[in-house]
Amino acid sequence: MKQKLIDTLTFCKRIGALKLGFDPVKSALEHGNAKLVLLAADLSAKSKDSVLRICYQADCPTAQLPFHMDEIWFLVGKRSGILAVTDAAFAKKLSELLESVDETNRRDTI
């Protein structure tokens, strides 16, 4: 499942449906373009609080990625802890994949 998540995330980047970094994500949220905001596993509490507040105001769903910022850098070519998906279909697919990965991780820890 993690490989499908990686493939979908990198494909979003290739087609231009992924915004990286606080300012581009904030802009996408303000313009109503962000369909899903993804947060790196090692995002600082201050950054996380800031982006969650903006997502709440924009009524945009958020999800935690199982990747650290350095892993995201390797996958999409930019070190970032905040990402926005601007395509609704890919946002839905990524949400489903993240739920599957999360469910798998919970089963593995039992």
Side-chain angles (χ1 to χ4, degrees):
M1 275 302 166
K2 232 178 190 182
Q3 188 58 48
K4 280 188 175 187
L5 178 61
I6 290 168
D7 293 344
T8 306
L9 199 59
T10 55
F11 190 70
C12 282
K13 172 65 175 155
R14 278 190 305 225
I15 65 168
L18 195 64
K19 302 293 180 190
L20 303 161
F22 185 83
D23 290 334
V25 170
K26 182 180 176 188
S27 178
L29 286 163
E30 289 171 346
H31 291 96
N33 297 329
K35 308 303 181 207
L36 174 67
V37 172
L38 302 168
L39 308 173
D42 60 342
L43 185 64
S44 73
K46 181 181 176 186
S47 295
K48 188 174 186 177
D49 289 344
S50 295
V51 77
L52 288 176
R53 181 178 36 80
I54 297 167
C55 288
Y56 177 76
Q57 292 170 344
D59 195 30
C60 182
T62 61
Q64 181 81 37
L65 286 169
F67 309 118
H68 292 107
M69 285 188 266
D70 287 339
E71 293 170 304
I72 293 168
W73 183 13
F74 177 76
L75 295 172
V76 297
K78 181 178 179 183
R79 190 174 191 275
S80 179
I82 304 168
L83 301 85
V85 181
T86 58
D87 181 275
F90 281 105
K92 182 179 181 208
K93 181 66 173 175
L94 284 165
S95 291
E96 292 168 358
L97 290 169
L98 284 166
E99 285 177 20
S100 296
V101 168
D102 189 42
E103 181 65 31
T104 302
N105 288 342
R106 270 191 252 129
R107 273 193 306 231
D108 291 345
T109 58
I110 295 176

